[in-house]
């Protein structure tokens, strides 16, 4: 049985919570505060943001108003595509850290594998990591060849790769590579932005366990060893999405969900980049 208070342990020993709050498209200060406080009250300790989400200041303000101490939090943010390069990365990191109102970031990642300056960008992340400004460095949306290239020249291997992952996209080859290289995969869009919640198999399994479709899908990811960052602006759904530690999917449910894979994405693929 996976326990809420345990989390997954990264290759450098840092504990990463199984469930974090996704915050993409959450921008209005009151909406951010409501979601962050609902999450902290429900037991979340992990918050996922990114420079491009334009909500780091609002998240920082919401965290300042909470009574949860900094050491218990796991804050992830990401370097945007337009900020690659050694000096740009150091400056972008400082800006994110300032907006979030914290001394250090728990997990800082390259948002997309932009060709050109990854080597210099990663070197900046390694410096920040060695200084203690970041507890874990990682990447997002890296495929096997992007990881191979990075691993060839880096001193510190990425600890996490955050990618799209849900029952329609089980990422078999990437999972295998990350496992072999001690890189923790983390799931974005773990609910497939809601689409998978209408699938009849998921509905059936949910009914059988007295849980909701979202809980089944998130639990499936956890039992595959993948931490999740479901986004919701709705307090009752935020609570629902972390209430997944009191049941276990038997092997037949795990396998049947696995067969839903269609290698189908709901979000952009790594071939599509945004620079602004
Ligand atoms: N690294 C990357 O490139 C990317 C990272 N991400 C990160 O991953 C997070 C999650 O991904 P996201 O794309 O937001 O999609 P999700 O798969 O988390 O789905 C979010 C949607 O599902 C709805 N929802 C949430 N919980 C429930 C529930 N229990 N029952 C029914 N509906 C529910 C939400 O609605 P409502 O809010 O109205 O409750 C929202 O519309 C992002 O917020 C972001 O932090 C996302 C995309 C790319
Ligand atoms: O995290 C993400 C969500 O939104 C961005 C676009 O604005 C994506 O590029 C990205 O991967």
């Amino acid at each position: 049985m996976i326990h809420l208070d345990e989390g997954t342990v990264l290759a450098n020993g840092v504990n990463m919570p199984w469930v974090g709050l996704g915050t993409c498209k959450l921008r209005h200060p009151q909406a951010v505060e409501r979601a962050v406080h609902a999450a902290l009250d429900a037991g979340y300790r992990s918050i996922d943001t990114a420079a491009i989400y334009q909500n780091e200041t609002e998240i920082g303000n919401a965290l300042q108003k909470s009574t949860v101490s900094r050491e218990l939090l796991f804050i992830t943010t990401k370097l945007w595509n337009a900020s690659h390069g050694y000096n740009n990365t150091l400056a972008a990191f400082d800006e994110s850290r300032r907006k979030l109102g914290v001394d250090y970031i728990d997990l800082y990642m390259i948002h997309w594998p932009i060709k050109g300056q990854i080597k210099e960008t990663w070197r900046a992340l390694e410096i920040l990591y060695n200084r203690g400004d970041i507890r874990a460095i990682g990447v997002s949306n890296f495929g096997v060849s992007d990881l191979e290239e990075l691993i060839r020249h880096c001193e510190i291997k990425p600890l996490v790769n955050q990618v799209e992952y849900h029952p329609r996209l089980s990422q078999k080859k990437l999972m295998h590579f990350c496992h072999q290289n001690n890189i923790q995969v983390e799931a974005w869009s773990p609910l497939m932005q809601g689409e998978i919640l209408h699938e009849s198999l998921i509905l059936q399994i949910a009914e059988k366990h007295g849980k909701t479709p979202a809980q089944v899908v998130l639990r499936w990811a956890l039992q595959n060893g993948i931490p999740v960052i479901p986004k919701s602006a709705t307090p009752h759904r935020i609570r629902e999405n972390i209430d997944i530690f009191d049941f276990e999917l038997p092997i037949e449910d795990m396998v049947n969900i696995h067969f839903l894979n269609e290698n189908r994405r709901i979000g952009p693929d790594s071939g599509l980049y945004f620079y602004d």
Side-chain angles (χ1 to χ4, degrees):
M1 192 77 164
I2 291 165
H3 296 285
L4 171 59
D5 50 357
E6 280 169 6
T8 181
V9 180
L10 303 180
N12 66 347
V14 164
N15 196 285
M16 177 179 183
W18 286 114
V19 181
L21 179 71
T23 66
C24 184
K25 299 190 184 120
L26 259 178
R27 283 215 199 137
H28 191 281
Q30 279 162 5
V32 171
E33 187 173 320
R34 193 175 53 164
V36 168
H37 288 182
L40 295 175
D41 289 349
Y44 289 66
R45 293 295 175 261
S46 163
I47 311 278
D48 181 85
T49 181
I52 194 68
Y53 302 167
Q54 294 176 40
N55 60 11
E56 290 172 309
T57 303
E58 291 72 16
I59 289 173
N61 290 341
L63 292 175
Q64 301 297 321
K65 289 187 193 166
S66 100
T67 54
V68 177
S69 61
R70 173 67 186 99
E71 316 79 74
L72 298 176
L73 295 170
F74 188 93
I75 301 174
T76 300
T77 193
K78 315 182 193 92
L79 176 84
W80 188 238
N81 302 349
S83 306
H84 277 238
Y86 185 80
N87 288 326
N88 286 345
T89 298
L90 295 179
F93 172 80
D94 269 345
E95 193 181 342
S96 285
R97 183 172 56 170
R98 181 183 56 75
K99 285 182 172 172
L100 285 160
V102 292
D103 294 335
Y104 64 90
I105 297 292
D106 294 275
L107 174 58
Y108 193 57
M109 39 178 63
I110 298 181
H111 207 139
W112 285 95
I114 297 299
K115 305 286 177 213
Q117 300 183 85
I118 291 204
K119 216 171 165 175
E120 295 76 15
T121 300
W122 190 254
R123 185 69 200 130
L125 260 63
E126 289 175 334
I127 298 277
L128 292 164
Y129 176 78
N130 285 332
R131 267 192 213 156
D133 289 340
I134 305 175
R135 293 177 70 223
I137 49 178
V139 294
S140 175
N141 300 305
F142 274 47
V144 171
S145 60
D146 303 312
L147 289 169
E148 280 171 340
E149 170 71 17
L150 177 58
I151 288 170
R152 248 197 303 279
H153 64 65
C154 68
E155 269 175 31
I156 303 167
K157 280 207 291 191
L159 292 154
V160 177
N161 187 17
Q162 185 187 104
V163 298
E164 181 176 345
Y165 177 80
H166 43 68
R168 293 275 188 230
L169 182 69
S170 56
Q171 303 260 29
K172 194 172 163 205
K173 202 171 129 216
L174 183 64
M175 289 291 163
H176 179 72
F177 181 89
C178 288
H179 188 71
Q180 296 291 98
N181 285 278
N182 239 328
I183 299 170
Q184 175 66 57
V185 174
E186 180 183 26
W188 63 254
S189 294
L191 302 174
M192 211 184 170
Q193 296 179 358
E195 194 182 307
I196 195 67
L197 307 181
H198 308 289
E199 156 60 47
S200 62
L201 174 72
I202 301 294
L203 288 161
Q204 266 173 40
I205 295 176
E207 196 176 331
K208 188 171 74 180
H209 292 282
K211 300 300 274 187
T212 67
Q215 289 171 329
V216 166
V217 168
L218 297 171
R219 180 73 200 186
W220 172 82
L222 258 51
Q223 287 184 218
N224 284 323
I226 309 298
V228 291
I229 44 170
K231 175 262 172 184
S232 178
T234 320
H236 79 265
R237 287 175 166 174
I238 291 172
R239 290 190 286 275
E240 175 184 328
N241 293 344
I242 201 169
D243 183 16
I244 55 175
F245 294 90
D246 63 348
F247 77 116
E248 188 157 3
L249 295 171
I251 188 76
E252 61 270 23
D253 290 344
M254 292 296 291
V255 169
N256 287 333
I257 297 174
H258 183 75
F259 281 121
L260 293 176
N261 180 45
E262 292 176 349
N263 297 323
R264 191 154 68 77
R265 292 176 188 275
I266 189 92
D269 196 354
S270 52
L272 288 172
Y273 302 133
F274 310 85
Y275 288 89
D276 306 326

